[in-house]
Coordinates of all heavy atoms in Angstrom, one line a residue:
M145 N 0.8 -1.2 0.0 CA 0.0 0.0 0.0 C 0.9 1.2 0.0 O 1.7 1.4 0.9 CB -0.9 0.0 1.3 CG -2.3 0.1 0.9 SD -3.5 0.1 2.3 CE -2.8 -0.6 3.7
A146 N 0.7 2.2 -0.9 CA 1.4 3.4 -1.0 C 0.8 4.4 0.0 O -0.3 4.4 0.3 CB 1.4 3.9 -2.4
G147 N 1.7 5.2 0.6 CA 1.2 6.2 1.5 C 2.4 6.9 2.2 O 3.5 6.5 1.9
R148 N 2.1 7.7 3.0 CA 3.1 8.5 3.8 C 3.5 7.7 5.0 O 2.7 7.0 5.6 CB 2.5 9.8 4.2 CG 2.2 10.7 3.0 CD 1.6 11.9 3.5 NE 2.4 12.6 4.5 CZ 3.0 13.8 4.4 NH1 2.7 14.5 3.4 NH2 3.6 14.3 5.4
G149 N 4.7 7.7 5.3 CA 5.2 7.0 6.5 C 6.7 7.3 6.6 O 7.2 8.0 5.9
H150 N 7.3 6.6 7.6 CA 8.7 6.9 7.9 C 9.6 6.4 6.8 O 10.7 6.8 6.7 CB 9.1 6.5 9.3 CG 9.6 5.1 9.4 ND1 8.8 4.0 9.4 CD2 10.8 4.6 9.4 CE1 9.4 2.9 9.4 NE2 10.7 3.2 9.4
N151 N 9.1 5.5 5.9 CA 9.9 5.0 4.9 C 9.5 5.5 3.5 O 10.0 5.0 2.5 CB 9.9 3.4 4.8 CG 10.7 2.8 5.9 OD1 11.7 3.4 6.4 ND2 10.3 1.6 6.4
S152 N 8.7 6.5 3.5 CA 8.1 7.0 2.2 C 9.0 8.0 1.6 O 8.8 8.5 0.5 CB 6.7 7.6 2.4 OG 6.8 8.8 3.2
G153 N 10.1 8.5 2.2 CA 11.0 9.5 1.7 C 10.7 10.9 2.1 O 11.4 11.8 1.8
D154 N 9.6 11.1 2.9 CA 9.2 12.4 3.3 C 10.2 12.8 4.5 O 10.4 12.0 5.4 CB 7.8 12.5 3.9 CG 6.8 12.2 2.8 OD1 7.2 12.4 1.6 OD2 5.7 11.8 3.1
T155 N 10.8 13.9 4.4 CA 11.7 14.3 5.4 C 11.3 15.7 5.9 O 10.7 16.5 5.1 CB 13.2 14.3 4.9 OG1 13.3 15.2 3.8 CG2 13.6 12.9 4.6
D156 N 11.8 16.0 7.1 CA 11.5 17.3 7.6 C 12.8 18.2 7.4 O 13.7 17.7 6.7 CB 11.1 17.3 9.1 CG 12.2 16.8 10.0 OD1 13.4 16.7 9.6 OD2 11.9 16.4 11.2
A157 N 12.8 19.4 7.9 CA 14.0 20.4 7.6 C 15.3 19.8 8.1 O 16.3 20.1 7.6 CB 13.6 21.6 8.3
T158 N 15.3 19.0 9.1 CA 16.5 18.4 9.6 C 17.0 17.1 8.9 O 18.0 16.6 9.1 CB 16.4 18.0 11.1 OG1 15.5 17.0 11.2 CG2 16.0 19.2 12.0
G159 N 16.1 16.7 7.9 CA 16.5 15.5 7.1 C 16.0 14.2 7.8 O 16.2 13.1 7.3
A160 N 15.4 14.3 9.0 CA 14.9 13.1 9.6 C 13.5 12.7 9.0 O 12.8 13.6 8.6 CB 14.7 13.4 11.1
Y161 N 13.2 11.5 9.0 CA 11.9 11.1 8.5 C 10.8 11.5 9.5 O 11.0 11.5 10.7 CB 11.8 9.5 8.4 CG 12.7 9.0 7.2 CD1 13.9 8.4 7.4 CD2 12.1 9.1 6.0 CE1 14.6 8.0 6.3 CE2 12.9 8.7 4.8 CZ 14.1 8.1 5.0 OH 14.8 7.6 4.0
S162 N 9.7 11.9 8.9 CA 8.6 12.4 9.7 C 7.7 11.2 10.1 O 7.5 10.3 9.3 CB 7.8 13.5 9.0 OG 7.2 12.9 7.9
V163 N 7.2 11.1 11.3 CA 6.3 10.2 11.7 C 5.1 10.8 12.3 O 5.1 11.7 13.1 CB 6.9 9.3 12.9 CG1 5.9 8.3 13.5 CG2 8.1 8.6 12.3
T164 N 3.9 10.5 11.7 CA 2.6 11.0 12.2 C 2.1 10.1 13.3 O 1.9 8.9 13.1 CB 1.6 11.0 11.0 OG1 2.2 11.8 10.0 CG2 0.3 11.6 11.5
A165 N 2.0 10.6 14.6 CA 1.5 9.8 15.6 C 0.3 9.1 15.4 O 0.1 8.0 15.7 CB 1.5 10.7 17.0
D166 N -0.8 9.9 14.9 CA -2.0 9.3 14.7 C -2.0 8.1 13.6 O -2.6 7.1 13.9 CB -3.1 10.3 14.2 CG -3.4 11.3 15.3 OD1 -3.3 10.9 16.5 OD2 -3.9 12.4 14.9
E167 N -1.2 8.3 12.6 CA -1.2 7.2 11.6 C -0.4 6.0 12.1 O -0.9 4.9 11.9 CB -0.4 7.8 10.4 CG -0.3 6.8 9.2 CD 0.4 7.4 8.0 OE1 1.6 7.8 8.2 OE2 -0.2 7.4 7.0
L168 N 0.6 6.3 12.9 CA 1.4 5.2 13.5 C 0.5 4.4 14.5 O 0.5 3.2 14.5 CB 2.6 5.7 14.1 CG 3.5 4.7 14.9 CD1 3.9 3.6 14.0 CD2 4.6 5.4 15.7
R169 N -0.2 5.1 15.3 CA -1.2 4.6 16.2 C -2.2 3.7 15.5 O -2.5 2.6 16.0 CB -1.9 5.6 17.1 CG -2.8 5.1 18.2 CD -3.4 6.1 19.1 NE -2.3 6.9 19.8 CZ -1.9 8.1 19.5 NH1 -2.5 8.8 18.5 NH2 -1.1 8.8 20.2
Q170 N -2.7 4.2 14.4 CA -3.7 3.4 13.6 C -3.1 2.1 13.1 O -3.8 1.1 13.2 CB -4.2 4.2 12.4 CG -5.2 5.4 12.8 CD -5.5 6.3 11.7 OE1 -5.1 6.0 10.6 NE2 -6.3 7.3 12.0
F171 N -1.9 2.1 12.6 CA -1.3 0.9 12.1 C -1.1 -0.1 13.4 O -1.3 -1.3 13.2 CB 0.1 1.2 11.5 CG 0.1 1.7 10.1 CD1 0.6 2.9 9.8 CD2 -0.6 1.0 9.1 CE1 0.5 3.4 8.5 CE2 -0.6 1.5 7.8 CZ -0.1 2.7 7.4
I172 N -0.6 0.4 14.4 CA -0.3 -0.4 15.6 C -1.6 -1.1 16.1 O -1.7 -2.2 16.4 CB 0.3 0.4 16.8 CG1 1.7 0.9 16.3 CG2 0.4 -0.5 18.0 CD1 2.7 -0.1 16.1
E173 N -2.7 -0.2 16.2 CA -4.0 -0.7 16.7 C -4.6 -1.8 15.8 O -5.1 -2.7 16.2 CB -4.9 0.4 17.0 CG -4.6 1.2 18.2 CD -5.4 2.5 18.4 OE1 -6.2 2.8 17.5 OE2 -5.1 3.2 19.4
R174 N -4.4 -1.6 14.4 CA -4.9 -2.5 13.4 C -4.2 -3.8 13.5 O -4.8 -4.9 13.4 CB -4.8 -1.9 12.0 CG -5.4 -2.8 11.0 CD -7.0 -2.9 11.1 NE -7.5 -3.8 10.1 CZ -8.3 -4.7 10.3 NH1 -8.8 -5.0 11.5 NH2 -8.7 -5.6 9.3
A175 N -2.9 -3.7 13.6 CA -2.1 -4.9 13.8 C -2.4 -5.7 15.1 O -2.6 -7.0 15.0 CB -0.6 -4.6 13.9
E176 N -2.7 -5.0 16.2 CA -3.2 -5.7 17.4 C -4.5 -6.3 17.2 O -4.8 -7.4 17.7 CB -3.3 -4.6 18.6 CG -1.8 -4.1 19.0 CD -1.9 -3.0 19.9 OE1 -3.0 -2.3 20.0 OE2 -0.9 -2.8 20.7
Q177 N -5.5 -5.6 16.4 CA -6.7 -6.2 16.2 C -6.7 -7.5 15.4 O -7.3 -8.5 15.6 CB -7.6 -5.1 15.5 CG -9.0 -5.6 15.1 CD -9.8 -6.0 16.4 OE1 -9.7 -5.4 17.4 NE2 -10.7 -7.0 16.2
L178 N -5.9 -7.4 14.4 CA -5.6 -8.6 13.5 C -5.0 -9.8 14.3 O -5.5 -10.9 14.1 CB -4.7 -8.3 12.3 CG -5.4 -7.3 11.2 CD1 -4.3 -6.9 10.2 CD2 -6.6 -8.0 10.5
A179 N -4.1 -9.5 15.2 CA -3.5 -10.5 16.0 C -4.6 -11.1 16.9 O -4.6 -12.3 17.1 CB -2.4 -10.0 16.9
S180 N -5.5 -10.3 17.4 CA -6.6 -10.8 18.3 C -7.5 -11.7 17.5 O -7.9 -12.8 18.0 CB -7.3 -9.6 18.9 OG -8.4 -10.1 19.6
E181 N -7.9 -11.3 16.3 CA -8.8 -12.0 15.4 C -8.1 -13.3 15.0 O -8.8 -14.3 15.0 CB -9.1 -11.2 14.2 CG -10.0 -9.9 14.5 CD -10.2 -9.1 13.3 OE1 -9.8 -9.4 12.1 OE2 -10.8 -8.0 13.5
K182 N -6.9 -13.3 14.8 CA -6.1 -14.5 14.4 C -6.1 -15.5 15.5 O -6.4 -16.7 15.3 CB -4.6 -14.2 14.0 CG -3.9 -15.3 13.5 CD -2.4 -14.8 13.2 CE -1.5 -15.9 12.7 NZ -0.2 -15.4 12.4
K183 N -6.0 -15.1 16.8 CA -6.1 -15.9 17.9 C -7.4 -16.5 18.1 O -7.6 -17.7 18.3 CB -5.7 -15.1 19.2 CG -5.7 -15.9 20.5 CD -5.3 -15.0 21.6 CE -5.6 -15.9 23.0 NZ -5.4 -15.1 24.1
D184 N -8.4 -15.7 17.8 CA -9.8 -16.2 17.9 C -10.2 -17.2 16.9 O -10.7 -18.3 17.2 CB -10.8 -15.0 17.8 CG -10.8 -14.0 18.9 OD1 -10.3 -14.4 20.0 OD2 -11.4 -12.9 18.8
V185 N -9.6 -17.0 15.7 CA -9.9 -18.0 14.6 C -9.2 -19.3 15.0 O -9.7 -20.4 14.8 CB -9.5 -17.5 13.3 CG1 -9.4 -18.6 12.2 CG2 -10.4 -16.3 12.8
G186 N -7.9 -19.2 15.5 CA -7.2 -20.4 15.9 C -7.9 -21.2 17.0 O -8.0 -22.4 16.9
E187 N -8.6 -20.5 18.0 CA -9.3 -21.2 19.0 C -10.5 -21.8 18.4 O -10.9 -22.9 18.8 CB -9.7 -20.2 20.1 CG -8.5 -19.7 20.9 CD -8.8 -18.5 21.8 OE1 -10.0 -18.1 21.9 OE2 -7.9 -18.1 22.5
Q188 N -11.2 -21.1 17.5 CA -12.4 -21.7 16.8 C -12.0 -23.0 16.1 O -12.7 -24.0 16.1 CB -13.1 -20.7 15.9 CG -13.7 -19.6 16.6 CD -14.3 -18.6 15.7 OE1 -14.4 -18.8 14.5 NE2 -14.5 -17.3 16.2
E189 N -10.9 -22.9 15.4 CA -10.4 -24.1 14.6 C -10.1 -25.3 15.5 O -10.4 -26.4 15.2 CB -9.2 -23.8 13.8 CG -8.7 -24.9 12.9 CD -7.5 -24.5 12.1 OE1 -6.6 -23.7 12.6 OE2 -7.3 -24.9 11.0
K190 N -9.5 -25.0 16.6 CA -9.2 -26.0 17.7 C -10.5 -26.7 18.2 O -10.5 -27.9 18.3 CB -8.4 -25.4 18.8 CG -7.9 -26.4 19.8 CD -7.0 -25.6 20.9 CE -6.6 -26.6 22.0 NZ -5.8 -26.0 23.0
E191 N -11.4 -25.9 18.4 CA -12.7 -26.4 18.9 C -13.4 -27.2 17.9 O -14.0 -28.3 18.2 CB -13.7 -25.2 19.4 CG -13.2 -24.5 20.6 CD -14.0 -23.2 20.8 OE1 -14.9 -22.9 20.2 OE2 -13.6 -22.5 21.8
L192 N -13.3 -26.8 16.6 CA -14.0 -27.6 15.6 C -13.3 -28.9 15.4 O -14.0 -30.0 15.3 CB -13.7 -26.8 14.2 CG -14.3 -27.6 13.0 CD1 -15.4 -26.7 12.3 CD2 -13.2 -27.9 12.1
F193 N -12.0 -29.0 15.4 CA -11.3 -30.3 15.3 C -11.5 -31.1 16.6 O -11.7 -32.4 16.4 CB -9.8 -30.1 15.0 CG -9.5 -29.8 13.6 CD1 -9.2 -28.5 13.1 CD2 -9.7 -30.8 12.5 CE1 -9.0 -28.3 11.8 CE2 -9.4 -30.5 11.3 CZ -9.1 -29.2 10.9
A194 N -11.6 -30.6 17.8 CA -12.0 -31.3 18.9 C -13.4 -31.9 18.8 O -13.6 -33.1 19.2 CB -11.9 -30.5 20.2
E195 N -14.3 -31.2 18.3 CA -15.7 -31.7 18.1 C -15.7 -32.9 17.1 O -16.3 -33.9 17.3 CB -16.7 -30.6 17.6 CG -18.1 -31.1 17.4 CD -19.0 -30.0 16.9 OE1 -18.6 -28.8 17.0 OE2 -20.2 -30.3 16.6
A196 N -15.0 -32.6 16.0 CA -14.9 -33.7 15.0 C -14.3 -35.0 15.5 O -14.8 -36.1 15.3 CB -14.1 -33.2 13.8
K197 N -13.2 -34.8 16.4 CA -12.6 -35.9 17.0 C -13.5 -36.7 18.0 O -13.6 -37.9 17.9 CB -11.3 -35.5 17.7 CG -10.6 -36.7 18.4 CD -9.2 -36.2 19.0 CE -8.5 -37.3 19.5 NZ -7.1 -36.9 20.0
D198 N -14.3 -36.0 18.6 CA -15.3 -36.4 19.6 C -16.3 -37.3 18.9 O -16.9 -38.2 19.4 CB -16.0 -35.3 20.4 CG -15.1 -34.8 21.4 OD1 -14.0 -35.4 21.8 OD2 -15.5 -33.7 22.0
R199 N -16.6 -36.9 17.6 CA -17.7 -37.6 16.8 C -17.1 -38.8 16.0 O -17.7 -39.4 15.2 CB -18.3 -36.6 15.8 CG -19.2 -35.6 16.6 CD -19.8 -34.6 15.5 NE -20.7 -33.7 16.3 CZ -22.0 -33.8 16.2 NH1 -22.6 -34.7 15.7 NH2 -22.8 -32.9 16.9
G200 N -15.8 -39.0 16.3 CA -15.1 -40.2 15.6 C -14.4 -40.0 14.4 O -13.8 -41.0 13.8
Y201 N -14.2 -38.7 13.9 CA -13.4 -38.4 12.7 C -12.0 -38.4 13.1 O -11.6 -38.0 14.2 CB -13.8 -37.1 12.1 CG -15.2 -37.1 11.6 CD1 -16.3 -36.7 12.3 CD2 -15.5 -37.7 10.3 CE1 -17.6 -36.7 11.8 CE2 -16.8 -37.8 9.9 CZ -17.8 -37.3 10.6 OH -19.1 -37.4 10.1
D202 N -11.1 -38.8 12.1 CA -9.7 -38.8 12.2 C -9.2 -37.4 11.8 O -9.3 -37.1 10.6 CB -9.0 -39.8 11.4 CG -7.6 -40.0 11.5 OD1 -6.9 -39.0 11.8 OD2 -7.0 -41.1 11.4
T203 N -8.9 -36.6 12.8 CA -8.6 -35.2 12.5 C -7.2 -35.0 11.7 O -7.1 -34.1 10.9 CB -8.5 -34.3 13.7 OG1 -7.6 -34.9 14.7 CG2 -9.9 -34.2 14.4
K204 N -6.3 -36.0 11.9 CA -5.0 -36.0 11.0 C -5.4 -36.1 9.6 O -4.9 -35.4 8.8 CB -4.1 -37.1 11.5 CG -2.8 -37.0 10.8 CD -1.9 -38.2 11.4 CE -0.6 -38.2 10.7 NZ 0.2 -39.3 11.2
V205 N -6.3 -37.0 9.3 CA -6.7 -37.2 7.9 C -7.5 -36.0 7.4 O -7.4 -35.5 6.2 CB -7.6 -38.6 7.7 CG1 -8.1 -38.7 6.3 CG2 -6.7 -39.7 8.1
M206 N -8.3 -35.4 8.2 CA -9.1 -34.2 7.9 C -8.1 -33.1 7.5 O -8.3 -32.4 6.5 CB -10.0 -33.8 9.0 CG -11.3 -34.6 9.2 SD -12.2 -34.1 10.6 CE -12.7 -32.4 10.2
R207 N -7.1 -32.9 8.2 CA -6.1 -31.9 8.0 C -5.4 -32.1 6.7 O -5.0 -31.2 5.9 CB -5.1 -31.7 9.1 CG -5.8 -31.1 10.4 CD -4.7 -31.0 11.5 NE -5.3 -30.7 12.8 CZ -5.6 -29.5 13.2 NH1 -5.4 -28.5 12.4 NH2 -6.2 -29.2 14.3
K208 N -5.1 -33.4 6.4 CA -4.5 -33.8 5.2 C -5.4 -33.4 4.0 O -4.9 -32.9 3.0 CB -4.1 -35.3 5.2 CG -3.4 -35.8 3.9 CD -2.0 -35.2 3.8 CE -1.3 -35.8 2.6 NZ 0.0 -35.3 2.4
I209 N -6.6 -33.8 4.1 CA -7.6 -33.5 3.0 C -7.7 -32.0 2.8 O -7.7 -31.5 1.6 CB -9.0 -34.1 3.3 CG1 -9.0 -35.6 3.2 CG2 -10.0 -33.5 2.4 CD1 -10.2 -36.3 3.7
I210 N -7.7 -31.2 3.8 CA -7.7 -29.7 3.7 C -6.5 -29.3 2.9 O -6.6 -28.4 2.1 CB -7.9 -29.1 5.0 CG1 -9.2 -29.3 5.6 CG2 -7.6 -27.6 4.9 CD1 -9.4 -28.9 7.1
A211 N -5.3 -29.8 3.3 CA -4.1 -29.5 2.6 C -4.1 -29.9 1.1 O -3.8 -29.0 0.2 CB -2.9 -30.1 3.3
L212 N -4.6 -31.1 0.9 CA -4.8 -31.5 -0.6 C -5.7 -30.6 -1.3 O -5.5 -30.3 -2.6 CB -5.3 -33.0 -0.6 CG -4.2 -34.0 0.0 CD1 -4.9 -35.4 0.0 CD2 -3.0 -34.0 -1.0
R213 N -6.8 -30.2 -0.8 CA -7.8 -29.3 -1.4 C -7.2 -28.0 -1.9 O -7.7 -27.3 -2.9 CB -9.1 -29.2 -0.6 CG -9.9 -30.5 -0.5 CD -11.0 -30.4 0.5 NE -11.8 -29.2 0.3 CZ -13.1 -29.3 0.1 NH1 -13.7 -30.4 0.0 NH2 -13.9 -28.1 -0.2
K214 N -6.2 -27.6 -1.2 CA -5.6 -26.3 -1.5 C -4.6 -26.3 -2.7 O -4.3 -25.3 -3.3 CB -4.7 -25.8 -0.3 CG -5.6 -25.4 0.8 CD -4.7 -24.9 2.0 CE -5.5 -24.6 3.2 NZ -4.6 -24.2 4.4
R215 N -4.3 -27.6 -3.1 CA -3.3 -27.8 -4.1 C -3.9 -27.8 -5.5 O -5.2 -28.1 -5.7 CB -2.5 -29.1 -3.9 CG -1.8 -28.9 -2.5 CD -0.7 -29.8 -2.2 NE 0.2 -30.3 -3.3 CZ 0.7 -31.5 -3.3 NH1 0.5 -32.3 -2.4 NH2 1.5 -31.8 -4.3
K216 N -3.2 -27.6 -6.5 CA -3.7 -27.7 -7.9 C -3.8 -29.1 -8.3 O -3.0 -30.0 -8.0 CB -2.7 -27.0 -8.8 CG -2.6 -25.5 -8.6 CD -1.6 -24.9 -9.5 CE -1.4 -23.4 -9.2 NZ -0.4 -22.8 -10.0
P217 N -4.9 -29.4 -9.1 CA -5.2 -30.9 -9.5 C -4.0 -31.4 -10.3 O -3.7 -32.6 -10.1 CB -6.3 -30.7 -10.4 CG -7.0 -29.4 -9.9 CD -6.0 -28.5 -9.5
D218 N -3.3 -30.7 -11.1 CA -2.2 -31.2 -11.9 C -1.1 -31.6 -11.0 O -0.3 -32.6 -11.2 CB -1.8 -30.4 -13.0 CG -1.4 -29.0 -12.6 OD1 -2.0 -28.5 -11.7 OD2 -0.6 -28.4 -13.4
E219 N -0.8 -30.9 -9.9 CA 0.2 -31.1 -8.9 C 0.0 -32.4 -8.2 O 0.8 -33.2 -8.0 CB 0.5 -30.0 -8.0 CG 1.1 -28.7 -8.6 CD 1.1 -27.5 -7.6 OE1 0.6 -27.7 -6.4 OE2 1.6 -26.5 -8.0
L220 N -1.3 -32.5 -7.8 CA -1.8 -33.7 -7.1 C -1.6 -35.0 -7.9 O -1.1 -36.0 -7.5 CB -3.2 -33.6 -6.6 CG -3.5 -32.8 -5.4 CD1 -5.0 -32.6 -5.2 CD2 -2.8 -33.3 -4.2
A221 N -2.0 -34.9 -9.2 CA -2.0 -36.0 -10.1 C -0.6 -36.5 -10.3 O -0.3 -37.6 -10.3 CB -2.6 -35.6 -11.5
E222 N 0.3 -35.5 -10.5 CA 1.8 -35.8 -10.7 C 2.3 -36.5 -9.4 O 3.0 -37.5 -9.5 CB 2.6 -34.6 -11.0 CG 4.1 -34.9 -11.2 CD 4.9 -33.6 -11.6 OE1 4.2 -32.5 -11.7 OE2 6.1 -33.7 -11.7
E223 N 2.1 -35.9 -8.2 CA 2.5 -36.5 -7.0 C 2.0 -37.9 -6.8 O 2.7 -38.9 -6.4 CB 2.1 -35.7 -5.8 CG 2.7 -36.2 -4.5 CD 2.3 -35.3 -3.3 OE1 2.5 -34.1 -3.4 OE2 1.8 -35.9 -2.3
N224 N 0.7 -38.1 -7.1 CA 0.1 -39.5 -6.9 C 0.7 -40.5 -7.9 O 0.9 -41.7 -7.5 CB -1.4 -39.4 -7.1 CG -2.1 -38.7 -5.9 OD1 -1.6 -38.7 -4.8 ND2 -3.3 -38.2 -6.1
A225 N 1.0 -40.0 -9.1 CA 1.6 -41.0 -10.1 C 2.9 -41.4 -9.6 O 3.4 -42.5 -9.7 CB 1.7 -40.3 -11.5
I226 N 3.8 -40.4 -9.1 CA 5.1 -40.8 -8.6 C 5.0 -41.7 -7.4 O 5.7 -42.7 -7.3 CB 5.9 -39.5 -8.3 CG1 6.1 -38.7 -9.6 CG2 7.2 -39.8 -7.6 CD1 6.7 -37.3 -9.4
L227 N 4.1 -41.3 -6.5 CA 3.9 -42.1 -5.3 C 3.5 -43.6 -5.7 O 4.0 -44.6 -5.1 CB 2.8 -41.5 -4.4 CG 2.5 -42.1 -3.1 CD1 3.8 -42.1 -2.2 CD2 1.5 -41.3 -2.4
T228 N 2.6 -43.7 -6.6 CA 2.2 -45.0 -7.0 C 3.4 -45.8 -7.7 O 3.6 -46.9 -7.4 CB 1.0 -44.9 -8.1 OG1 -0.1 -44.2 -7.5 CG2 0.6 -46.3 -8.6
M229 N 4.2 -45.1 -8.5 CA 5.2 -45.7 -9.2 C 6.3 -46.2 -8.1 O 6.8 -47.3 -8.2 CB 5.9 -44.8 -10.1 CG 7.1 -45.3 -10.8 SD 7.9 -44.2 -12.1 CE 8.3 -42.8 -11.1
Y230 N 6.6 -45.4 -7.2 CA 7.6 -45.7 -6.1 C 7.0 -46.9 -5.3 O 7.7 -47.8 -4.9 CB 7.9 -44.5 -5.2 CG 8.7 -43.5 -5.8 CD1 9.2 -43.5 -7.2 CD2 9.1 -42.4 -5.1 CE1 9.9 -42.5 -7.7 CE2 9.9 -41.4 -5.6 CZ 10.3 -41.5 -6.9 OH 11.1 -40.5 -7.4
G231 N 5.7 -46.8 -4.9 CA 5.1 -47.9 -4.1 C 5.1 -49.2 -4.8 O 5.5 -50.2 -4.3
E232 N 4.8 -49.2 -6.2 CA 4.9 -50.5 -6.9 C 6.2 -51.0 -7.0 O 6.5 -52.2 -7.0 CB 4.3 -50.2 -8.4 CG 2.8 -50.0 -8.4 CD 2.2 -49.6 -9.7 OE1 3.0 -49.3 -10.6 OE2 1.0 -49.5 -9.8
A233 N 7.2 -50.1 -7.1 CA 8.6 -50.5 -7.2 C 9.1 -51.3 -5.9 O 9.9 -52.2 -5.9 CB 9.6 -49.3 -7.4
L234 N 8.4 -51.0 -4.8 CA 8.7 -51.5 -3.5 C 7.7 -52.6 -3.1 O 7.7 -53.2 -2.0 CB 8.6 -50.4 -2.4 CG 9.7 -49.4 -2.5 CD1 9.5 -48.3 -1.5 CD2 11.1 -50.0 -2.4
G235 N 6.8 -53.0 -4.1 CA 5.8 -54.0 -3.9 C 4.7 -53.6 -3.0 O 4.0 -54.4 -2.3
M236 N 4.3 -52.3 -3.0 CA 3.3 -51.8 -2.1 C 2.1 -51.4 -2.9 O 2.3 -50.8 -4.0 CB 3.8 -50.5 -1.3 CG 5.0 -50.8 -0.4 SD 5.8 -49.4 0.2 CE 4.4 -48.7 1.3
D237 N 0.9 -51.6 -2.4 CA -0.3 -51.1 -3.1 C -0.7 -49.8 -2.4 O -1.5 -49.9 -1.4 CB -1.4 -52.2 -3.1 CG -2.6 -51.8 -4.0 OD1 -2.5 -50.8 -4.7 OD2 -3.6 -52.5 -3.8
I238 N -0.3 -48.7 -2.8 CA -0.4 -47.5 -2.0 C -1.9 -47.1 -1.9 O -2.4 -46.7 -0.9 CB 0.4 -46.3 -2.6 CG1 1.8 -46.6 -2.7 CG2 0.0 -45.0 -1.9 CD1 2.6 -46.6 -1.4
F239 N -2.6 -47.1 -3.0 CA -4.0 -46.6 -3.0 C -5.0 -47.7 -3.1 O -6.2 -47.5 -3.5 CB -4.2 -45.7 -4.2 CG -3.4 -44.4 -4.1 CD1 -2.2 -44.1 -5.0 CD2 -3.7 -43.4 -3.2 CE1 -1.5 -43.1 -4.9 CE2 -2.8 -42.3 -3.1 CZ -1.8 -42.1 -3.9
G240 N -4.6 -48.8 -2.7 CA -5.4 -50.0 -2.5 C -6.4 -50.6 -3.3 O -7.3 -51.2 -3.2

């Protein structure tokens, strides 16, 4: 984001970078708010996985599925093909 700040090149008569207290305070407060929201989301995620575990779901597998869903289909296909090839070379039936 472009804007004024201590790294924007604005200098005062002495050559020192100028800092606007209100602007700096706004950045600090916003960062604090985001950190708080991040903590809240983390707690909600922990509760969600605890509930899923209580209902008998394997949360390790759930996390793996979430990670897989974030990946591109062609990357997954390539990885699965290599995994299958390596497994077959070792006499393993990876995908059953």
Side-chain angles (χ1 to χ4, degrees):
M145 232 181 339
R148 297 174 53 119
H150 88 283
N151 286 331
S152 67
D154 296 337
T155 58
D156 63 15
T158 65
Y161 286 103
S162 62
V163 174
T164 304
D166 288 339
E167 184 178 58
L168 178 59
R169 184 177 297 106
Q170 288 174 2
F171 281 122
I172 298 294
E173 289 173 355
R174 184 66 182 135
E176 291 170 340
Q177 179 64 33
L178 289 171
S180 175
E181 291 172 9
K182 184 178 177 180
K183 181 181 174 189
D184 291 344
V185 168
E187 290 172 3
Q188 291 173 15
E189 184 179 35
K190 184 178 177 180
E191 291 171 5
L192 177 123
F193 281 105
E195 181 180 351
K197 186 175 183 176
D198 288 345
R199 292 179 178 257
Y201 293 98
D202 185 326
T203 57
K204 183 177 178 181
V205 174
M206 288 175 59
R207 290 178 189 277
K208 181 68 175 177
I209 289 173
I210 291 167
L212 291 171
R213 288 171 53 119
K214 291 179 183 178
R215 300 194 37 211
K216 294 178 182 175
D218 56 329
E219 291 175 358
L220 283 175
E222 181 179 357
E223 183 178 310
N224 287 340
I226 293 169
L227 186 60
T228 299
M229 179 176 60
Y230 287 6
E232 288 173 354
L234 297 172
M236 300 169 64
D237 187 11
I238 301 288
F239 296 110

